[in-house]
Amino acid sequence: MAARRLGGSSWQQVVSLSRRCCLPGGRRERYRCSSSSTALGKTVENSGVTQEEIVLPRRKTWDKLAVLQTLASTVNRDPTAAHYMFQDDPFLMPRNAANSRLFSLSKESGRNAAKYIIKQFPQYFDKTFAEPNIPCLMPETLTPQIEGVSEEALKERIHLRRVKDAVDLFDQLVQAGTPVSLETTNSLLDLLCFYGDGESASEKEEEEKEDLEEPGVNASEQKAPKRQFQRGSRSSGSRWRENNNAERIFKIMPERNAHSYCTMIRGMVKHGASAKAYDMYIDLLNERHKADVHTFNALITAVPYLKERFLERWELAKVFLNHMAQQEVQPNLLTFNALLKTLRRCGGVGRSMSLLVIKEMEALDIEPSLATYDHLLFIFYRGVDLSPSGIISEVLDDVEKRTFTPQDPDDANFFATAMQTCCDLKDIKLACRLNKAMEKGDNWKFLDMDRLNAYWSKFFSLLCMMEQIDVVLKWYKEMSPSLFYPTPKNILDLLQALDAANHLEVIPSVWEDMKQLGFSRRQDLLEELLSLMSREQHPEEIQLAFAKCAEDIKAVHEPTGREQAPLEWTGSALGHVAVLFSRAGRTQDAWNMMERFQQINRIPTDQVMDEFLNCAKQTNCPDEAIKLVKLAASLGLPSSQRLKSRTEKEFELSEKQKKTLESIKSDSDSSDSDSDSDSD
Amino acid sequence: EKDESTASKDSATEVASKSREGTAETPKQKLLDLIGNMKVEVSYRNKLQQLKTREIKKQATNKLEGPDSEGSMLQKTTEDTQRGKPLNPELVKAASAVASSLPLNKKQTESELLAQLRRHEETTDKQKKGGTINIRNVISEMAVKRQSPAQGGLRISRRISLELDEDGHRIKSERLSPQSSDSRRSLKVGRRLNIFTKASKETENALKTVSSPTIWDLEFAKEIGAITAQPPRNGFEEMIQWTKEGILWEFPIDNEAGMEDDAEFHEHIFLEKHLEDFPKQGPIRHFMELVICGLSKNPYLSVKQKIEHIEWFQKYFEEKKELLQEI
């Protein structure tokens, strides 16, 4: 930073600036780069006071990312562009949420395809061109090297996570009578329990071709670090089968230690066999072993599957906690998070007990993570009448002060839950506080693409409800499309906000956005849009703009020759479009609309017909007026009489036209006998 | 009189409970149960009013004869019917039956039992006239079972909420749960579970046994790392990611990165010190200096290899020297 500022300012200014930089910003990462600032500061001081001895500062070492991190901190979000990962070809920038998800999945899928090729054909990728060599781009050697039936070979296969091979080798060893050490058997059990007798990803890939549609699904078991769309590995698809390999091996083990029991319990809980896990735990106690903290955490998460009634669930959880205390196992953050997760499913009991849990955490000096707060908010704010408790502001107080590091897979849910709560409470201030907390430090990283969209979407709806229109429009311009893609609900809320603020002239630009977002075929949005535009008369240019929108909407309803079937007209939509055309003086277009009413078996309202007549009068098209009267008569509308008299009065009709008009009268004779004698 | 009546009430309950415990499942036991579980009915109201007045009269007058008591009771009740609605004759009969079965003073027992009935009526009256009917109090006064009201309330609320949540209906109602405390709930104040005690530092360190991470640990660490692994927001963040993966050079660029070279640059370039064994003059020296010049510019050989080169030359010229000298 000091280096950048050297350009324009004098030396003294630079020094004072750099001193200002480094003094308060000791904690901030940005200014870490100003390496020479402390040295400068010291020398200036020294020049003033000659008695001071010169203390040379120690040489600073920077980690490899310091330069890049500083540079990255200078770049802000571009509000007009899509996310960086889509910036390749402007044509390929996604315009709405569905597309953005699709594109990012395709990008990830491309990467996975490339990795697959490298893995399948390593013989083509053996030359190392790069100096120094880049190991992560080279094919990995995953084939086991050690052959033969030995414990070493078994260990290698376990390490390479080849489940089937390891089990086969173990069976061979047992049959041959070779003793397998307890440690190796335990690590084999670990492997089996983790994968639940399914296969690890490397084996899956060998057997079947990767599904390129949903690469995210495989990600839960893959070795490569997962990127987006990761919801955390919940219990994987394979369920715990009766007498699977893990159970079988467990039974034939000559000796077992606490680790064996613990890993079995964890595996059973992970794969949905909660009752068995509980039985296994009882066995562990009978053998006088001690479980470790992870096992207890797993047992606590399994409580909702073991008991039905709320109080019983809580009692069982307390039993486990008491056992922990007795066995002198220290609980950690995950213990309490698991406890709160169980309390989520305990209704009212959960509400009373969760606070006790929080106080317990405090007493043990365990700092809550975002998952803790997420569970709390869920317990207090979801599912029942929102009692006005101050929990959420207290939670926000805590969250605002800290930056968080991920400690629990459920941390990612916090911001979404919190924003949902703010929206339910209709509190915009809380939402703003939440935003600030999210933008602090690295907290933004907890929201992945999907959640980010949902988060901002909810925030925007709240804004539309609660804030002034200029604030809403400002946020709208800033946030979409770079931060989120508005959902149809957002557009509806925006339209309503515009209506409330009497700012309907913005509607044409909203329509443009709607077209970009791909909402131009949604009936509900179209109805809302049309009714807002046609409700009142507006000044000339706005009316023309509205008519242009109406034309676009009309185009949506026409057959385009592409795959999409044209939208069906509804009576109200047709009427609105006709009104809009009429008000803009586009008589021919308006007449086109009027003609369609019969096609869809609908009747135009009086207002529509009056507007059309007004339009015809202004544009001086008596023929159209006569056509209208004919139409009304043929439809047998009661207003046809009125229209006829209006036409007679307001238009200058030629003789022929007058005759035509009168002849229409005779059509309506049959239906309108009373007025007949009067009008003639 | 009032003292007597209260005393009689206490003893009546005692008697009632004793008789409940004492007798077996006889018809009388059933009747007693009936009395015990009695639900208050509206029609009793007037009857018991009459009963009350009659009771007082009865106590004021002298004791009636034993065996005649039943008959007189019945007579009295028939008298009552003339005045107003009498007590349910079955109950009266039951009460007298109980009284006759018990070894105590029959009249006393009977009066006590009937006084209890009266009390039930009074309670109903009071609460019907007075404000809200607190069902819980009425139930507890009936002394159906030994149950604390709070527990009963909790059970009821639990049952309601259970039914709702287990049925999957989203009916929001938890009126009976302690909702009044909701508004006072705070994270800052409150009790704790008191199950655990904070481990001291020594025990913490002692408990930390170093074991190699299991597959559970590794996968958990991966999962945690993936939570905050978001795609890069700009080119610099992308470069940061690549640097972490090892794809990109590290800034500031060190062009010796990845090179395993133990020697410093001067050992590569200043190779003259290896020429000490050669003659100082002459074509050999000249030649070797050219060799050294070439080697110093050679980036592909390690220092060891260069020294080997020079030593090869040295050996070569040594052999040749012998040859030359022979010649």
Side-chain angles (χ1 to χ4, degrees):
Chain A
M1 292 295 157
R4 266 201 327 164
R5 291 191 182 139
L6 257 173
S9 35
S10 70
W11 183 247
Q12 292 286 12
Q13 270 183 329
V14 163
V15 166
S16 57
L17 276 172
S18 61
R19 234 188 303 173
R20 227 185 350 174
C21 283
C22 68
L23 281 173
R27 269 170 273 124
R28 278 185 280 172
E29 288 174 9
R30 277 173 214 217
Y31 299 99
R32 239 196 313 164
C33 165
S34 51
S35 54
S36 49
S37 59
T38 43
L40 284 170
K42 286 230 153 70
T43 45
V44 166
E45 276 177 38
N46 289 338
S47 66
V49 184
T50 44
Q51 268 85 37
E52 301 253 338
E53 62 174 53
I54 297 176
V55 178
L56 289 172
R58 275 177 304 147
R59 182 191 171 165
K60 291 194 183 180
T61 49
W62 305 110
D63 75 12
K64 55 185 179 176
L65 300 174
V67 175
L68 286 172
Q69 278 169 346
T70 319
L71 286 170
S73 65
T74 64
V75 180
N76 280 330
R77 179 174 57 87
D78 177 3
T80 60
H83 194 277
Y84 176 71
M85 64 176 154
F86 302 122
Q87 283 172 21
D88 183 355
D89 183 343
F91 182 72
L92 291 177
M93 264 178 34
R95 302 281 177 209
N96 53 34
N99 271 357
S100 94
R101 186 157 199 269
L102 185 67
F103 290 178
S104 46
L105 272 177
S106 356
K107 209 166 168 177
E108 187 68 23
S109 149
R111 269 191 216 111
N112 285 346
K115 280 200 204 116
Y116 175 77
I117 297 289
I118 294 181
K119 205 157 159 196
Q120 290 297 110
F121 307 106
Q123 64 270 26
Y124 301 130
F125 295 98
D126 54 0
K127 291 218 178 63
T128 58
F129 291 107
E131 278 183 41
N133 187 26
I134 302 174
C136 74
L137 295 179
M138 292 289 121
E140 300 172 356
T141 46
L142 288 180
T143 49
Q145 307 293 328
I146 308 176
E147 296 298 327
V149 179
S150 68
E151 193 165 324
E152 287 300 317
L154 176 61
K155 274 204 228 170
E156 195 195 5
R157 276 156 187 77
I158 294 174
H159 180 72
L160 291 174
R161 307 222 185 150
R162 301 177 75 84
V163 177
K164 199 162 161 309
D165 289 347
V167 170
D168 289 340
L169 199 55
F170 180 81
D171 287 334
Q172 285 177 7
L173 280 171
V174 163
Q175 273 175 358
T178 343
V180 187
S181 71
L182 181 59
E183 210 181 303
T184 316
T185 324
N186 272 345
S187 55
L188 177 61
L189 269 184
D190 282 344
L191 185 69
L192 286 171
C193 291
F194 181 78
Y195 286 112
D197 214 29
E199 288 142 7
S200 69
S202 51
E203 292 182 329
K204 261 200 213 136
E205 279 167 19
E206 284 175 13
E207 288 180 10
E208 40 175 293
K209 228 172 83 170
E210 252 198 38
D211 186 10
L212 292 177
E213 291 262 300
E214 283 276 311
V217 174
N218 286 335
S220 62
E221 307 272 37
Q222 263 181 4
K223 288 194 217 181
K226 296 158 280 202
R227 301 225 195 186
Q228 323 134 21
F229 306 100
Q230 179 56 41
R231 292 276 182 264
S233 58
R234 273 172 270 166
S235 56
S236 38
S238 58
R239 290 328 225 155
W240 191 266
R241 281 182 323 193
E242 186 69 38
N243 204 23
N244 55 17
N245 284 326
E247 282 191 16
R248 185 173 58 85
I249 293 180
F250 184 76
K251 283 190 195 125
I252 66 177
M253 278 168 83
E255 49 160 327
R256 308 178 192 112
N257 63 358
H259 184 100
S260 325
Y261 284 97
C262 288
T263 195
M264 289 293 286
I265 294 174
R266 287 171 82 175
M268 286 171 176
V269 169
K270 180 176 175 193
H271 297 281
S274 310
K276 279 201 183 168
Y278 187 69
D279 293 336
M280 182 68 66
Y281 176 66
I282 300 295
D283 290 342
L284 177 144
L285 290 179
N286 288 340
E287 298 285 325
R288 306 223 184 289
H289 289 304
K290 284 195 185 173
D292 64 3
V293 65
H294 307 292
T295 317
F296 276 114
N297 293 353
L299 283 168
I300 292 176
T301 51
V303 163
Y305 302 101
L306 291 172
K307 296 282 181 197
E308 285 297 320
R309 295 169 161 262
F310 296 163
L311 216 51
E312 285 175 14
R313 286 176 180 172
W314 171 241
E315 292 300 322
L316 182 59
K318 271 209 289 194
V319 161
F320 288 133
L321 292 176
N322 283 321
H323 284 195
M324 274 180 92
Q326 281 164 13
Q327 295 178 22
E328 284 171 12
V329 177
Q330 275 294 324
N332 60 9
L333 170 71
L334 296 170
T335 318
F336 290 108
N337 282 353
L339 199 54
L340 285 172
K341 201 165 175 182
T342 304
L343 283 176
R344 269 165 91 131
R345 303 175 63 161
C346 291
V349 173
R351 277 197 287 283
S352 7
M353 298 304 158
S354 52
L355 295 173
L356 301 180
V357 173
I358 298 289
K359 296 304 285 180
E360 187 79 5
M361 281 175 81
E362 218 179 283
L364 294 175
D365 278 340
I366 296 180
E367 265 204 343
S369 76
L370 285 179
T372 323
Y373 295 124
D374 175 52
H375 295 315
L376 262 185
L377 287 181
F378 189 92
I379 289 173
F380 280 96
Y381 287 99
R382 305 288 249 127
V384 287
D385 299 321
L386 298 174
S387 50
S389 60
I391 296 287
I392 183 159
S393 36
E394 290 188 19
V395 163
L396 277 179
D397 284 337
D398 284 343
V399 169
E400 276 170 347
K401 293 191 201 119
R402 300 167 50 189
T403 52
F404 290 87
T405 50
Q407 290 166 289
D408 183 324
D410 289 326
D411 282 346
N413 296 331
F414 169 72
F415 283 106
T417 314
M419 183 51 84
Q420 179 66 46
T421 313
C422 292
C423 292
D424 291 339
L425 291 172
K426 298 206 187 354
D427 192 331
I428 186 77
K429 285 205 185 40
L430 280 178
C432 286
R433 279 174 71 188
L434 184 64
N435 268 348
K436 272 209 204 52
M438 199 238 337
E439 281 161 8
K440 188 170 169 179
D442 276 345
N443 289 350
W444 63 274
K445 290 189 185 170
F446 284 95
L447 282 168
D448 65 9
M449 295 286 290
D450 276 348
R451 288 196 180 99
L452 194 68
N453 214 51
Y455 176 89
W456 286 112
S457 171
K458 286 193 206 109
F459 179 69
F460 186 70
S461 291
L462 187 63
L463 268 180
C464 289
M465 249 194 290
M466 308 290 292
E467 282 279 4
Q468 300 291 326
I469 190 67
D470 44 355
V471 175
V472 172
L473 286 174
K474 183 170 82 79
W475 275 94
Y476 182 67
K477 233 195 291 277
E478 260 190 40
M479 291 196 331
S480 70
S482 60
L483 205 47
F484 85 113
Y485 295 99
T487 60
K489 180 172 183 307
N490 286 138
I491 297 290
L492 267 176
D493 291 335
L494 179 63
L495 287 173
Q496 278 166 12
L498 287 172
D499 186 22
N502 216 5
H503 250 53
L504 294 175
E505 66 270 11
V506 183
I507 287 189
S509 69
V510 176
W511 169 242
E512 291 297 315
D513 289 340
M514 272 172 68
K515 277 196 288 188
Q516 260 201 1
L517 290 166
F519 295 158
S520 54
R521 292 174 61 85
R522 291 189 63 106
Q523 286 282 14
D524 47 353
L525 286 180
L526 289 178
E527 291 287 329
E528 180 74 15
L529 201 63
L530 284 172
S531 66
L532 279 178
M533 284 198 286
S534 59
R535 209 173 48 192
E536 294 141 6
Q537 185 84 19
H538 287 277
E540 183 71 33
E541 1 175 279
I542 302 179
Q543 213 57 63
L544 284 174
F546 283 2
K548 189 107 193 4
C549 292
E551 193 178 326
D552 287 338
I553 295 179
K554 178 180 122 183
V556 169
H557 292 264
E558 319 249 274
T560 51
R562 277 191 263 161
E563 327 82 51
Q564 280 180 335
L567 218 51
E568 298 285 324
W569 280 110
T570 63
S572 54
L574 204 52
H576 289 315
V577 172
V579 163
L580 286 170
F581 278 145
S582 311
R583 286 200 188 134
R586 296 161 66 155
T587 328
Q588 265 310 318
D589 295 323
W591 178 243
N592 278 338
M593 294 296 112
M594 300 300 293
E595 281 178 330
R596 284 170 206 247
F597 272 101
Q598 264 183 319
Q599 286 170 4
I600 61 166
N601 276 332
R602 292 274 181 278
I603 300 177
T605 61
D606 288 351
Q607 184 211 12
V608 172
M609 295 200 285
D610 280 333
E611 286 284 346
F612 181 76
L613 215 54
N614 291 343
C615 170
K617 189 171 87 171
Q618 286 201 317
T619 54
N620 212 4
C621 308
D623 285 324
E624 310 297 327
I626 295 173
K627 278 196 239 172
L628 179 71
V629 178
K630 218 187 279 185
L631 177 70
S634 65
L635 287 174
L637 295 175
S639 49
S640 56
Q641 203 48 45
R642 183 173 53 84
L643 288 170
K644 196 164 90 74
S645 45
R646 260 194 76 187
T647 319
E648 279 174 352
K649 272 192 234 128
E650 297 171 18
F651 285 80
E652 298 195 0
L653 301 168
S654 66
E655 278 307 313
K656 200 160 76 104
Q657 285 166 336
K658 277 199 189 129
K659 247 189 256 163
T660 340
L661 196 57
E662 291 198 9
S663 65
I664 299 174
K665 205 201 323 182
S666 53
D667 281 350
S668 66
D669 266 350
S670 47
S671 50
D672 219 14
S673 50
D674 277 298
S675 54
D676 205 31
S677 46
D678 292 317
S679 54
D680 205 9
Chain B
E1 274 181 10
K2 279 186 190 149
D3 291 336
E4 268 185 306
S5 51
T6 47
S8 71
K9 181 196 174 185
D10 290 343
S11 49
T13 45
E14 273 177 47
V15 164
S17 54
K18 248 200 285 178
S19 51
R20 225 179 291 144
E21 288 158 352
T23 52
E25 271 295 302
T26 57
K28 283 184 191 136
Q29 175 65 31
K30 287 179 193 157
L31 283 170
L32 278 170
D33 287 343
L34 187 72
I35 296 169
N37 297 334
M38 187 194 76
K39 295 220 179 354
V40 182
E41 288 173 53
V42 182
S43 54
Y44 288 172
R45 198 189 331 166
N46 294 333
K47 283 183 221 162
L48 281 180
Q49 282 287 9
Q50 309 300 326
L51 194 59
K52 191 179 181 179
T53 50
R54 193 162 45 94
E55 195 54 48
I56 293 171
K57 249 201 299 180
K58 207 167 137 193
Q59 280 181 356
T61 59
N62 261 328
K63 316 286 187 274
L64 307 166
E65 311 87 57
D68 287 337
S69 63
E70 223 177 289
S72 55
M73 273 300 274
L74 283 172
Q75 273 179 7
K76 287 256 158 70
T77 50
T78 47
E79 277 173 29
D80 285 343
T81 47
Q82 290 158 18
R83 267 177 282 175
K85 282 193 225 157
L87 194 62
N88 191 349
E90 286 186 17
L91 265 175
V92 172
K93 248 195 231 166
S96 54
V98 167
S100 54
S101 71
L102 292 171
L104 304 168
N105 187 353
K106 296 188 176 54
K107 301 189 284 335
Q108 193 72 8
T109 322
E110 213 178 307
S111 65
E112 283 157 11
L113 289 172
L114 290 171
Q116 181 71 345
L117 296 178
R118 204 195 315 144
R119 265 183 196 78
H120 291 161
E121 282 301 341
E122 277 178 8
T123 324
T124 331
D125 280 345
K126 228 189 305 173
Q127 283 167 355
K128 255 192 166 38
K129 287 175 202 161
T132 52
I133 298 178
N134 196 338
I135 299 179
R136 219 180 276 161
N137 288 344
V138 172
I139 293 173
S140 63
E141 268 216 15
M142 295 231 181
V144 176
K145 271 182 201 166
R146 284 274 154 251
Q147 189 183 355
S148 62
Q151 204 181 341
L154 187 58
R155 255 188 47 185
I156 292 169
S157 74
R158 194 180 29 133
R159 219 181 308 137
I160 289 178
S161 56
L162 278 174
E163 280 165 20
L164 294 174
D165 285 279
E166 283 161 38
D167 290 347
H169 295 306
R170 300 306 292 153
I171 309 169
K172 301 172 189 180
S173 108
E174 287 220 344
R175 297 179 316 265
L176 296 176
S177 67
Q179 216 182 33
S180 56
S181 50
D182 267 3
S183 48
R184 289 289 147 261
R185 277 193 189 149
S186 158
L187 292 178
K188 306 298 169 207
V189 302
R191 304 168 291 135
R192 50 173 280 209
L193 280 178
N194 261 323
I195 297 180
F196 298 103
T197 51
K198 190 159 139 60
S200 59
K201 280 292 170 201
E202 295 84 31
T203 44
E204 258 183 46
N205 294 336
L207 285 172
K208 278 198 181 94
T209 49
V210 180
S211 54
S212 65
T214 66
I215 185 175
W216 294 102
D217 302 327
L218 292 169
E219 289 294 319
F220 184 69
K222 257 194 249 166
E223 215 181 309
I224 295 294
I227 294 176
T228 46
Q230 301 305 337
R233 296 181 296 179
N234 54 51
F236 295 121
E237 289 189 8
E238 198 173 19
M239 285 204 275
I240 290 175
Q241 216 168 41
W242 285 342
T243 313
K244 282 191 199 157
E245 289 173 17
I247 299 177
L248 196 61
W249 288 85
E250 297 175 10
F251 293 105
I253 302 227
D254 170 23
N255 59 4
E256 289 180 13
M259 269 173 58
E260 320 272 319
D261 203 13
D262 305 322
E264 295 284 307
F265 73 97
H266 52 85
E267 292 172 34
H268 278 272
I269 297 176
F270 302 117
L271 296 166
E272 280 166 351
K273 57 181 190 269
H274 303 296
L275 288 189
E276 283 167 13
D277 298 330
F278 288 90
K280 304 280 187 277
Q281 303 275 352
I284 295 180
R285 181 73 188 204
H286 192 61
F287 176 74
M288 286 315 296
E289 279 178 6
L290 286 175
V291 165
I292 281 180
C293 189
L295 280 179
S296 69
K297 293 185 191 159
N298 187 335
Y300 300 108
L301 298 176
S302 68
V303 172
K304 208 149 147 285
Q305 285 171 316
K306 290 182 189 174
I307 297 178
E308 274 172 20
H309 265 282
I310 299 176
E311 281 174 3
W312 185 90
F313 276 111
Q314 191 177 0
K315 250 196 297 185
Y316 179 77
F317 283 124
E318 286 288 332
E319 286 168 16
K320 291 295 174 191
K321 201 186 338 186
E322 286 157 19
L323 210 73
L324 282 172
Q325 298 217 319
E326 267 174 34
I327 301 171

